[in-house]
Amino acid sequence: QSVLTQPISASGTPGQRVTISCSGSSSNIGSRNVNWYQQVPGAAPKLLIQRDNQRPSGVPDRFSGSKSGTSASLAISGLQSEDEADYYCAAWDDSLDAIVFGRGTKLTVL
Amino acid sequence: QVQLVESGGGVVQPGRSLRLSCAASGFTFRSDAMHWVRQAPGKGLEWVAMIWYDGINKHYSDTVKGRFTISRDNSKNTLSLQMNSLRVEDTALYYCVRDPAGSGWAFESWGQGTLVTVSS
């Protein structure tokens, strides 16, 4: 069982807004930055959101991140077919002295 | 542009050793922390190990601690992962990852990965 809990799957239709949650604890999300990654099939992961809510250069503003307490969320608005991918949250964990990943959420665009 | 090129993967028997390498270019390698992240076939991402910019401080996941050793050569811009006592469950695609200074543990750049298969 992963330290960070994500839903296994999510789905939406083109143009919709979807959110993916990531639940942790005080030793990771509650005290550390959360980062989000997108992995399309067959490709290496790509940094999508860093430091809870910052978009790296080149990431569309349709993607946004937020955090409250020991939970974080990734929101995707104006859903597009190319957004179909696996999404992972990650954070440093002070108790484990390790980076922890969520199990990943498979997003399907219907 | 940033390039991370992994090498050294292959098929190895359980209990044997393998050494992975990552050639870095396009950024100031000696300034950034570096990580290895792996992904078993059809599974999610798993963090393996990290090394600070100076090569002194290192951290490992519990699953590889005592078996794997991460190292770097800042004069050659290379990152390495020595994997000993390999197990079937170590089978995965191993990614070399850049963690820029001050990024908040953000994995900004990833290589394409090198595949390690542990099988008898």
Side-chain angles (χ1 to χ4, degrees), chain B residues 49-60:
Chain B
M50 74 152 296
I51 185 168
W52 286 88
Y53 68 99
D54 56 6
I56 295 176
N57 289 307
K58 306 172 187 181
H59 296 276
Y60 299 90

Side-chain angles (χ1 to χ4, degrees), chain A residues 35 37 47 49-51, chain B residues 98-100 103-109:
Chain A
N35 302 304
Y37 302 90
L47 178 63
I49 296 290
Q50 67 182 98
R51 292 185 172 276
Chain B
R98 175 194 178 206
D99 174 4
S103 72
W105 304 100
F107 296 164
E108 185 179 282
S109 307

Side-chain angles (χ1 to χ4, degrees), chain A residues 2 6 9 19 21 28 34 38 40 42 45 49 54 59-60 67 69 71 73 75 79 88-90 97 102 105:
Chain A
S2 294
Q6 295 181 237
S9 63
T19 61
S21 62
N28 42 67
V34 177
Q38 177 194 58
V40 297
I49 296 290
Q54 298 175 11
V59 174
K67 188 175 82 173
S71 293
S73 291
L79 199 61
Y88 297 89
C89 58
D97 268 347
T105 298

Side-chain angles (χ1 to χ4, degrees), chain B residues 29 32-36 47 49-60 69-74 78-80 97 99 105:
Chain B
F29 181 75
D32 295 340
M34 296 294 295
H35 302 249
W36 288 98
W47 176 79
M50 74 152 296
I51 185 168
W52 286 88
Y53 68 99
D54 56 6
I56 295 176
N57 289 307
K58 306 172 187 181
H59 296 276
Y60 299 90
T69 301
I70 190 171
S71 61
R72 65 191 296 162
D73 185 336
N74 286 344
T78 59
L79 176 72
S80 297
V97 181
D99 174 4
W105 304 100

Side-chain angles (χ1 to χ4, degrees), chain A residues 14-58:
Chain A
Q16 268 191 332
R17 181 177 188 272
V18 297
T19 61
I20 297 171
S21 62
C22 176
S23 177
S25 68
S26 58
S27 64
N28 42 67
I29 294 178
S31 56
R32 293 288 186 170
N33 293 131
V34 177
N35 302 304
W36 290 88
Y37 302 90
Q38 177 194 58
Q39 187 177 32
V40 297
K46 168 190 169 184
L47 178 63
L48 201 60
I49 296 290
Q50 67 182 98
R51 292 185 172 276
D52 301 338
N53 54 22
Q54 298 175 11
R55 283 186 308 278
S57 174

Side-chain angles (χ1 to χ4, degrees), chain B:
Chain B
Q1 73 279 21
V2 173
Q3 274 202 312
L4 299 169
V5 180
E6 303 94 337
S7 61
V11 180
V12 62
Q13 293 179 327
R16 305 297 292 263
S17 299
L18 206 59
R19 186 177 182 88
L20 306 183
S21 295
C22 171
S25 60
F27 65 102
T28 307
F29 181 75
R30 65 180 180 275
S31 297
D32 295 340
M34 296 294 295
H35 302 249
W36 288 98
V37 174
R38 69 185 182 184
Q39 187 169 34
K43 302 296 184 182
L45 301 173
E46 179 188 12
W47 176 79
V48 174
M50 74 152 296
I51 185 168
W52 286 88
Y53 68 99
D54 56 6
I56 295 176
N57 289 307
K58 306 172 187 181
H59 296 276
Y60 299 90
S61 70
D62 284 344
T63 56
V64 308
K65 200 173 294 183
R67 299 188 299 123
F68 290 11
T69 301
I70 190 171
S71 61
R72 65 191 296 162
D73 185 336
N74 286 344
S75 68
K76 296 181 179 178
N77 289 359
T78 59
L79 176 72
S80 297
L81 184 69
Q82 177 65 42
M83 304 186 295
N84 298 332
S85 303
L86 281 162
R87 305 168 180 168
V88 171
E89 53 265 36
D90 294 319
T91 294
L93 186 63
Y94 284 73
Y95 292 104
C96 168
V97 181
R98 175 194 178 206
D99 174 4
S103 72
W105 304 100
F107 296 164
E108 185 179 282
S109 307
W110 299 64
Q112 286 305 300
T114 186
L115 183 62
V116 173
T117 303
V118 184
S119 173
S120 54

